[in-house]
Structures are given as C-alpha cells and as structure tokens.
Amino acid sequence: MKNILVIGSTGQIGSELTAALRENYGNAHVVAGYIPSAPPTGELRDAGPSAIADVTDAQQLSDIVKEHKIDAIYNLAALLSVVAEQKPKLAWKIGIDGLWNVLEVARENGCAVFTPSSIGSFGPSTPHELTPQDTVQRPLTIYGVSKVTTELLSDYYFHKYGVDTRAVRFPGLISYVTPPGGGTTDYAVDIYYAAVRGEKFVCPIAEGTRMDMMYMPDGLRAAMELMEADPARLKHRNAFNVTAMSFAPENICRAIQKRIPTFEMTYDVDPLKQAIASSWPDSLDDSAAREEWGWQPKFGLATMTRDMIEKLTAKLKPEG
Ligand code: SER
C-alpha cells in the first residue's frame, strides 16, 4: 500500500486508525476523508492531507482516489447498532449504497478495500459460545443485516472482479480517545469515564450478558495486519472473527474496582440494547484469523483496565 484513503476518519475507529496508518506509511500518504458535519481537527487535520469524502457520493470518491493515486481504502462510514435501529434507511444508505460506491471505485482504480464487519453480523440462531468463523448469520437488527450484506458484497467483488477486499468482524471496541456513539457495547467505554470521574455507573446491559470486546490498539493492529497479510494464506476474506476478551458487566466492574475500590455500579436495563446484546455471541472463536494471518491480541481485561484508567485520568484532569 502506498496511498491510503480513510473514509470516516473522524469517527470512533477512523480518528485513531488514520493516525496509526500515518505512522506506518507516512503522513503524506494517508488522506483523512470526512463529511462536512464532522471535519478533522488538531493533529488529524494538521498532520496530513484531508478531503471531503462522503461515501454516498460516488463521483467525489472517484475524484479523490484519482487525485491522490489511492491504492487502499479503509471504509469506516457506518451507523452503530442502536442508532441504526432508529434510522434504518440511513443505515442502509451509508452502509450498503455507500459500500457499493467504494467497491466500484476500487474496481475501476485497482484499490484494496477494508470495510469492517462486526459481532452484530450474528443473530439469535447463531451458536453463542465460541461462535465459529463459518456459521449461521441471521441477525435481526438493520446493523447486522447491513454487515452480513457488507461481507457478501465484499466477497462478491473479490470473486467476480478480483478486488482485494478483506475485513474483520470487530467486537466492541474500547478506547479513551474518541467516544463511540449509539452502539450496544458503548457501556464498556462509558463505565471507565464514570469510574475515573468518581461517579456511580448505571449499566444499561443486564448482569450475566457476555460480549466480545477489544482494546482499540489491538483493533487498529488487526485492521492493518490483515491488510498486509500474504494473500496466498487467506482462505477467508470477508470477514474474520477477531476477539481479545469476553466479559459481562459485573466482570468489567470488578476489574475497575481492583484499581478504584470505591467505584459502584447499578443496573437500569435498556430493552433495545439488551435485546441486541442478547442476540450477539457470548464469545467468538477467532482461530481462522490466528491461522491465516497470525492474529494475536495483546490486551486482556486487566491490562486494558489499567491503561484505560491511567489514560483517562490524565485526559480528564482539570486544566491548571
Ligand atoms: N460496537 C458495535 C455496536 O455496539 C458493534 O460492532 O454497535
């Protein structure tokens, strides 16, 4: 990869992935694509090139790809699961009509494409324990429906046109940098903010509900390592199960209490979030990713908790 376009560079994943890609490939070689309502600021804006890249505007994407001689696109434009349920048509427009535009421009210009899938691509009829790489995918959310479609369409473009499409199924991503918005796994980020602020946390997900999670540095590495993997080794493409840990609210609460003993959590279960969470896997089997491209997470619950609390404490410290 020489020149990369990140679509959605100011979002939850994009803001950190753009910086990581710039570190790996050089600032000048990574274009931060954004929509006018969410322009880049600070380091993201100043360190390298940026361009308005609305995934629903095929011509705009084509112009950027040609102008910057792009050969790889990280397509991160999407609505998360809860907000997508409130705006299903918009979720489809961004996720699928947008993906179509990305894949077409990639086909015409010889670009590789990474469009993440998610644990949300699974549903209630999927085996919940150690969910296999290849299994039933009948999600009931529009988020899940669009992620399964993303996987199928991306594979279609690989088999029919030879477009180098690759992806992972991200679990809940946890970071102290850019907060998520409107996801089912957001509680696992919000809980750290509450703990560091000295507040009690009211958990919207019921006790005992396990979901796969990952610390953002591992998530960024997963995306970049897969895109650099030897294609001859890839039996799968769209998309690989990857995970780093699986926990329920009471587990993350206890991990935080080991460092902040006064921290308290109560429950006020949100029916929509709970229905979504219950339909997702309890734990993923990511052995295909380990075998085909050497996937290996670095952070577990305890090491992530230590780092999150350290970084958030510094971030939220009052000025002066
Ligand atoms: N973090 C996402 C969500 O909760 C799942 O991929 O919507």
Side-chain angles (χ1 to χ4, degrees):
M1 286 185 281
K2 287 184 289 297
N3 295 307
I4 298 168
L5 169 64
V6 181
I7 299 173
S9 71
T10 60
Q12 184 204 2
I13 303 174
S15 54
E16 289 181 70
L17 185 61
T18 305
L21 288 166
R22 282 177 173 166
E23 203 169 310
N24 281 356
Y25 299 97
N27 285 343
H29 296 284
V30 181
V31 180
Y34 63 95
I35 48 171
S37 57
T41 56
E43 181 76 8
L44 192 60
R45 178 197 55 210
D46 301 336
S50 54
I52 296 179
D54 182 338
V55 77
T56 64
D57 186 336
Q59 188 58 49
Q60 195 175 67
L61 295 185
S62 170
D63 292 345
I64 297 169
V65 163
K66 287 190 168 71
E67 184 189 334
H68 294 272
K69 301 189 171 48
I70 297 295
D71 51 27
I73 302 172
Y74 284 79
N75 169 28
L76 306 173
L79 297 187
L80 288 180
S81 55
V82 178
V83 71
E85 281 310 296
Q86 283 138 16
K87 302 173 186 173
K89 204 169 172 186
L90 183 62
W92 185 266
K93 188 174 167 199
I94 295 172
I96 302 306
D97 296 345
L99 174 65
W100 191 276
N101 293 336
V102 171
L103 291 171
E104 272 298 291
V105 90
R107 180 173 73 82
E108 284 162 8
N109 295 275
C111 307
V113 179
F114 176 89
T115 310
S117 184
S118 157
I119 50 173
S121 68
F122 299 113
S125 53
T126 302
H128 274 38
E129 282 298 334
L130 286 178
T131 301
Q133 171 65 39
D134 301 306
T135 186
V136 180
Q137 289 182 284
R138 303 288 293 181
L140 299 182
T141 60
I142 190 67
Y143 181 71
V145 170
S146 75
K147 288 302 182 190
V148 176
T149 310
T150 295
E151 294 187 8
L152 293 172
L153 201 55
S154 298
D155 269 348
Y156 179 78
Y157 266 72
F158 170 67
H159 290 297
K160 189 167 172 86
Y161 302 117
V163 177
D164 185 0
T165 56
R166 310 177 185 192
V168 296
R169 296 180 181 130
F170 276 131
L173 290 169
I174 296 168
S175 162
Y176 59 90
V177 181
T178 306
T184 305
T185 58
D186 295 11
Y187 91 89
V189 178
D190 300 339
I191 192 171
Y192 285 109
Y193 277 83
V196 169
R197 288 190 172 120
E199 294 164 4
K200 189 183 205 168
F201 182 64
V202 183
C203 186
I205 301 293
E207 189 174 346
T209 311
R210 286 164 54 224
M211 286 185 276
D212 287 274
M213 303 277 178
M214 186 178 287
Y215 199 29
M216 188 62 92
D218 276 338
L220 304 179
R221 218 167 31 77
M224 294 188 293
E225 286 179 9
L226 173 58
M227 292 307 276
E228 288 292 354
D230 175 1
R233 285 181 65 196
L234 300 182
K235 294 192 202 86
H236 298 85
R237 279 183 168 266
N238 300 280
F240 284 92
N241 284 1
V242 286
T243 187
M245 61 194 97
S246 161
F247 57 74
E250 65 273 22
N251 307 125
I252 187 171
C253 177
R254 272 198 294 275
I256 293 173
Q257 283 166 339
K258 281 193 187 145
R259 306 201 157 260
I260 307 177
T262 52
F263 176 61
E264 284 179 69
M265 180 176 87
T266 56
Y267 294 91
D268 182 12
V269 173
D270 177 304
L272 172 59
K273 289 184 182 172
Q274 185 59 37
I276 297 175
S278 301
S279 77
W280 288 357
D282 295 346
S283 67
L284 292 182
D285 172 0
D286 62 1
S287 49
R290 290 171 187 260
E291 279 157 27
E292 293 176 38
W293 49 279
W295 162 244
Q296 187 83 58
K298 288 193 176 145
F299 288 87
L301 181 55
T303 43
M304 173 179 77
T305 298
R306 187 181 60 207
D307 203 59
M308 274 297 280
I309 291 176
E310 238 175 66
K311 300 279 171 38
L312 269 186
T313 305
K315 179 176 169 177
L316 301 178
K317 200 165 68 194
E319 295 288 318

